[in-house]
Amino acid sequence: MSIETIKIVPFDDQRPGTSGLRKSVKRFQIPHYLAAFVQSIFNTVEDLQGATLVLGGDGRFYNREAIKIILRIAAANGVKKILLGQSGILSTPAVSHLIRKYYALGGIILSASHNPGGPEGDFGIKFNTTQGEPAPEHITERIYQNSRIIDHYKIAPLQAIAMDKIGEFSIENMQVEIIDSVSDYADYMETLFDFTAIRNLLTQGDFKMLFDAMNAVTGPYAKEIFQNRLGAARNALMRQHPLANFGGCHPDPNQAHAKELMQRLYSPTGPNFGAASDGDGDRNMILGNYFFVTPSDSLAIMAANASLILGYREGIKGVARSMPTSQAVDRVAEQLNIACYETPTGWKFFANLLDDQRISLCGEESFGTGSDHIREKDGLWAILFWLNLLAIKQDSVENIVRAHWAKYGRNYYTRHDYENINSDAANELMQALREKTHYLVGHRLSGQKIVTADDFSYRDSVDDSYTEQQGIRIIFENDSRIIFRLSGTGTKGATLRVYIERYEANVQKHDLDTQKTLKTLIAIANVIAKISEYTGKKRADVIT
Ligand code: VG1
Ligand code: CO
């Protein structure tokens, strides 16, 4: 063995955020930066010797270079086998699935998800553990503490690494198996959904779908699943070829960043169903003709209809949503008489509830939905769920959503993001709000009494772990909510997210414009948090 030990000075900025370590590509390209973090993961993880790991990424700029470095470090650290996606490509949900299917010790995912890519864009790295879930906070914190003191890493010598062909090779004593990125995942989807019913929907009659892969990782998955296995038309996919810079766009499936898809759905001759996924394939946006489904509503509708779907026929055990996600799913859980958990933002907080079989479905307002089938949110899974539902109901997306509102009421919902603001100002804004919460309860604003004002904290009911400062909540007696938190995935300055929600039971009032009907709450949010003063911005940069 000719393993080299490279001495380094540790970096001080490797604390993982909401979803792994995310930095600019430029930062990751600094000599030893990526290697130091990878070695910190390996120093932290137990049972690494002789283990199997899954490795892959969303194909963004620096994906291949990072994989070569990681393979050499893994070989030097006693890993026995790496399952590597062909050409270095694996979506986040596919990694989670592969870890579970092949009983791997864990996996490394290379992605900055919805953040832009390319030499001027972002890169990221995330470690998932044995059940396929994002490492919990006590592990990410240990990785971070290690990264602050690490003074060397071990690496196998440079060698040519061919990752484009299915097959096997070795690096020192480690075996690398290049696997098809798509087939295991696609096979698994066939066990959860009625592919025959979906195929009939897509091939008989005049139903049309359009999927926007945003030039990100889901292109090859969508081609295999929607076209090869389900018979979708040739023109059912757009931006299907993965590009290292995502065509210069934000691979974020929302109304602001999937403009062309929106335009094509908002047309009299447009498709019946539209959908998009993000950089690493874990997010989803669902559209009908002239109709946008909020992610919070999507979760609620899935929960209400789960027992119709093959993989969930036994019924669902419970549901969970992240705290800022609208309370639409809570109403479904109440009707079904199942538990509904409220967790901090980030998928890792669902993992224990899924492992302990307390919940079957979970989701976030940020276009993320998933279930106990894996331990990540899953974009294509959510889209297949909707297609399966449409095939069963033989009705439009809009009618399904409206019927849901008629039964449960509608939670009007919006999120306003103020991006790239000064970090000190953002922290001051949050601190000032935190102090205000102490005397807001009992006050009336626009006629509504505030019943809760706090900084959300969470105690995990499975392992008792505790997490604080997860967002300021202001909750009114009529269930309206204003929530403020700072993003943990951005790489430039700070991003303030303001989440606004109002419940409307009256079906006569389910056709209002979201921004207009939430206007008063939006104004209250601005005044309470002094948003314009702290951020210098008159309006949000992105409204979803
Ligand atoms: C955002 C979303 C959060 C999501 C996270 C990772 O985090 O708000 O709900 O779990 O991104 O999603 P933040 O801290 O920026 O608000 V992904 O698709 O980047 O893996
Ligand atoms: Co993502």
Side-chain angles (χ1 to χ4, degrees), residues 17-20 22 92 111-115 126 251-253 278-284 322 324-325 344-348 350 363-368 376-377 415 417 485-490 495 497 499:
T18 313
S19 182
R22 260 178 223 185
T92 287
S111 172
S113 189
H114 54 287
N115 297 23
K126 189 165 75 156
D252 198 356
D278 69 330
D280 61 331
D282 56 0
R283 297 187 177 203
N284 74 91
S322 66
T325 304
T345 295
W347 211 260
K348 55 183 176 247
F350 294 132
E364 297 190 280
E365 49 65 42
S366 53
F367 298 82
E376 286 279 5
K377 53 190 186 278
R415 183 176 108 183
D417 291 338
R485 60 178 284 281
L486 297 183
S487 158
T489 59
T495 293
R497 305 204 195 284
Y499 311 80

Side-chain angles (χ1 to χ4, degrees), residues 297 300 327-328 331-332 401-412 502-507 510:
D297 279 347
Q327 300 161 100
R331 295 180 186 272
V332 176
V401 177
R402 287 195 183 280
H404 184 90
W405 291 340
K407 181 165 176 194
Y408 296 94
R410 174 171 181 186
N411 290 68
Y412 281 98
R502 184 177 77 77
Y503 178 68
E504 177 60 70
N506 182 353
V507 72
H510 285 174

Side-chain angles (χ1 to χ4, degrees), residues 77-97:
N77 278 273
V79 173
K80 183 169 156 236
K81 185 173 181 179
I82 296 268
L83 293 171
L84 176 65
Q86 188 176 11
S87 303
I89 298 289
L90 283 175
S91 73
T92 287
V95 171
S96 184
H97 172 240

Side-chain angles (χ1 to χ4, degrees), residues 75-146:
N77 278 273
V79 173
K80 183 169 156 236
K81 185 173 181 179
I82 296 268
L83 293 171
L84 176 65
Q86 188 176 11
S87 303
I89 298 289
L90 283 175
S91 73
T92 287
V95 171
S96 184
H97 172 240
L98 289 166
I99 295 171
R100 296 165 68 78
K101 179 166 180 180
Y102 294 109
Y103 302 101
L105 178 74
I108 292 177
I109 304 173
L110 303 172
S111 172
S113 189
H114 54 287
N115 297 23
E120 307 299 321
D122 288 339
F123 192 74
I125 173 166
K126 189 165 75 156
F127 181 67
N128 283 33
T129 59
T130 313
Q131 296 298 324
E133 66 245 50
E137 279 195 321
H138 68 91
I139 295 183
T140 54
E141 191 56 25
R142 276 196 352 241
I143 294 171
Y144 170 59
Q145 293 307 339
N146 192 273

